[in-house]
């Protein structure tokens, strides 16, 4: 879906940052930063919170690179 993006892309938007999203998700800003860098894959509950607080723009699949792989095989 065209409106979907990675967490890193979402955080690069004007007015968005890891601290603000972390506060909404009730987790540490470092958790959001590490997930955006691909250092960790958030647990299921946090993925749902991220999807909710990004208006659905950062879906759970974005953490696994599935969309990126599909784009390169088309």
């Amino acid at each position: 879906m065209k409106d979907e993006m990675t967490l890193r892309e979402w955080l690069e938007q004007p007015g968005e940052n890891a601290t603000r999203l972390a506060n909404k998700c009730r987790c540490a800003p470092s958790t959001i930063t590490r997930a955006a860098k691909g250092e960790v894959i958030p647990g299921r509950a946090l993925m749902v919170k991220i999807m909710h607080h990004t208006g659905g723009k950062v879906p759970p699949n974005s953490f696994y690179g599935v969309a990126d792989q599909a784009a390169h095989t088309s």
Side-chain angles (χ1 to χ4, degrees):
M1 194 177 271
K2 186 87 171 151
D3 291 338
E4 293 179 357
M5 59 181 64
T6 66
L7 181 55
R8 176 177 274 179
E9 291 169 334
W10 191 84
L11 291 172
E12 290 173 349
Q13 295 183 108
E16 303 300 345
N17 63 57
T19 301
R20 181 176 291 130
L21 181 58
N23 288 336
K24 290 178 182 177
C25 293
R26 297 184 182 200
C27 69
S30 61
T31 301
I32 298 296
T33 301
R34 292 179 68 213
K37 291 179 181 179
E39 295 174 0
V40 298
I41 295 176
R44 180 181 175 137
L46 182 53
M47 281 187 202
V48 171
K49 288 177 184 179
I50 290 170
M51 183 176 68
H52 172 75
H53 292 296
T54 62
K57 294 193 184 250
V58 182
N61 283 345
S62 69
F63 294 101
Y64 297 102
V66 175
D68 294 337
Q69 290 175 1
H72 294 294
T73 59
S74 299

